[in-house]
Amino acid sequence: MATCGRHGVPMIVGEVYDLVSDDMFLRIDEFVPGSRGYLKVEGCNPAGSAKLKTAVALVEGAESAGVPFPATRLIESTSGNLGVALAMICAAKGYSLVCVTDPKANPQPVKMMRALGAEVVVVGRHDEHGGYLSSRIDYITTRLSYEPDLHWLNQYANPSGPGAHRDRTGRAILDHVPDVGHVFVAAGTTGTLMGCAAYLREHSPGTRVVAVDVEGSAIFGHPEGPRHIPGMGASLRPGILDEELVDDVVTVSEVDAVTACRELARDRGMLVGASTGAVLVAIRHRGAGITPGSTVVGVSPDLGERYLETVFDDEWVTANLRMRADDLPGKLNFGHVLQN
């Protein structure tokens, strides 16, 4: 994949999915007083998220494994961002794609998947955990049983996803911020987290890798509970997760993640997604224990345009997260942070 041109050198590529930049960092020193803070911005690509790198790796992995294209149709479970990225790649390559999502998905990504030619299935049945992930996977398994031309990419267990972030995201962090002492990464499917952790363990073992999870997520063994914002946490432990690669876990509330997103928009003029808000909460919370003069990097998976009807919508926030309108955007309330 191409890397964004630097020092005025244009970036010219042959395919839309090669338009990926790995050299964009925003200073966020205010979140770690006495140290240097950087937010690695992943959303400045045509797919709008870090999932573009994941999607490219998943599709290329299928191609390398000998999956017969274009006769084979791809199918994948998604809360939004991966589906958009896969739909973009499949449109460019002439492949057929089925995206399986649920009612919690943000409306804009669902519309984007369809606009890019993907078949989109919204699974509305709650699973035994009260969420939708198991129901989405059950739907895929059922279709695989009677549609032999379908191939499941399976981001939850496929090593290609973490591999992409090991080779690209983790490498880029160390290339551009070689003295990084702490890296904060939100956990969902954990592909970005595992990829970054694997690279840093090998090339910068002194760097502490901090996973950021959300209340109600079962990724790190906590009881599964209600969650409202897609893309944060999970109701099942991903098969690719290796907790030995993680030094610390910070669990935050959706309320605090939303508040952080709104603070960044108000104070810095930048719209970011909810996972980025959670990362910012975790950085500020752990900041008191970080040695002054250290360097901290937080990974921002996506920007905020896809959250205008949720995170940045007062009616949605007050209805779903039970925040008072008078408290928006409000200051971060670390009473909602759970210690691990």
Side-chain angles (χ1 to χ4, degrees):
M1 295 178 68
T3 301
C4 183
R6 309 188 71 221
H7 306 299
V9 179
M11 178 167 135
I12 300 173
V13 301
E15 299 292 348
V16 64
Y17 47 81
D18 285 331
L19 288 169
V20 178
S21 169
D22 259 323
D23 60 0
M24 293 188 183
F25 293 78
L26 176 71
R27 290 292 293 265
I28 52 166
D29 295 353
E30 66 270 27
F31 285 88
V32 278
S35 296
R36 294 175 300 279
Y38 299 90
L39 193 63
K40 187 178 189 305
V41 180
E42 293 281 338
C44 295
N45 63 61
S49 77
K51 291 290 190 179
L52 181 55
K53 288 182 278 190
T54 305
V56 169
L58 292 174
V59 174
E60 289 182 346
E63 291 171 332
S64 298
V67 173
F69 292 108
T72 298
R73 294 176 298 143
L74 297 175
I75 190 168
E76 183 57 288
S77 165
T78 175
S79 60
N81 282 339
L82 181 67
V84 172
L86 285 172
M88 179 178 294
I89 295 165
C90 288
K93 289 177 173 284
Y95 299 164
S96 295
L97 172 68
V98 181
C99 293
V100 182
T101 188
D102 61 64
K104 287 186 177 180
N106 290 325
Q108 187 189 37
V110 173
K111 292 177 181 178
M112 293 176 71
M113 292 178 226
R114 289 189 170 122
L116 290 163
E119 174 190 344
V120 179
V121 178
V122 180
V123 175
R125 179 177 60 83
H126 285 96
D127 57 30
E128 66 272 21
H129 306 285
Y132 295 98
L133 179 55
S134 291
S135 296
R136 294 189 334 226
I137 293 175
D138 288 346
Y139 176 86
I140 290 174
T141 303
T142 299
R143 283 195 62 166
L144 290 172
S145 69
Y146 64 83
E147 296 183 47
D149 63 331
L150 278 179
H151 175 78
W152 183 20
L153 293 168
N154 194 1
Q155 62 169 323
Y156 311 105
N158 193 326
S160 296
H165 292 286
R166 180 192 64 235
D167 298 338
R168 293 294 309 273
T169 313
R171 180 187 299 274
I173 290 172
L174 204 57
D175 283 350
H176 295 292
V177 191
D179 61 341
V180 60
H182 296 74
V183 174
F184 289 73
V185 187
T189 61
T190 70
T192 305
L193 171 65
M194 288 294 94
C196 290
Y199 187 85
L200 292 167
R201 278 288 168 272
E202 181 177 355
H203 299 280
S204 183
T207 300
R208 288 183 60 81
V209 177
V210 183
V212 181
D213 203 6
V214 65
E215 291 177 7
S217 169
I219 292 175
F220 293 97
H222 296 296
E224 205 275 337
R227 288 176 291 112
H228 301 88
I229 303 174
M232 294 208 306
S235 57
L236 297 173
R237 177 188 173 92
I240 56 177
L241 175 63
D242 179 0
E243 289 190 57
E244 293 297 319
L245 297 178
V246 176
D247 296 297
D248 188 12
V249 180
V250 181
T251 304
V252 310
S253 74
E254 291 183 316
V255 169
D256 284 344
V258 166
T259 304
C261 291
R262 286 167 169 257
E263 283 192 335
L264 198 68
R266 181 193 62 194
D267 299 338
R268 299 294 299 273
M270 183 175 182
L271 292 175
V272 294
S275 294
T276 303
V279 165
L280 293 173
V281 173
I283 290 174
R284 184 173 283 173
H285 180 69
R286 284 293 191 261
I290 292 175
T291 303
S294 299
T295 301
V296 173
V297 171
V299 176
S300 172
D302 59 5
L303 299 182
E305 291 89 343
R306 295 173 189 180
Y307 301 84
L308 294 177
E309 297 182 34
T310 53
V311 169
F312 296 101
D313 183 87
D314 288 357
E315 292 185 5
W316 186 93
V317 170
T318 55
N320 288 276
L321 303 185
R322 300 183 180 180
M323 296 176 71
R324 296 189 310 135
D326 292 343
D327 293 334
L328 301 173
K331 293 295 182 183
L332 291 173
N333 177 0
F334 291 114
H336 292 283
V337 176
L338 302 182
Q339 296 286 347
N340 289 79

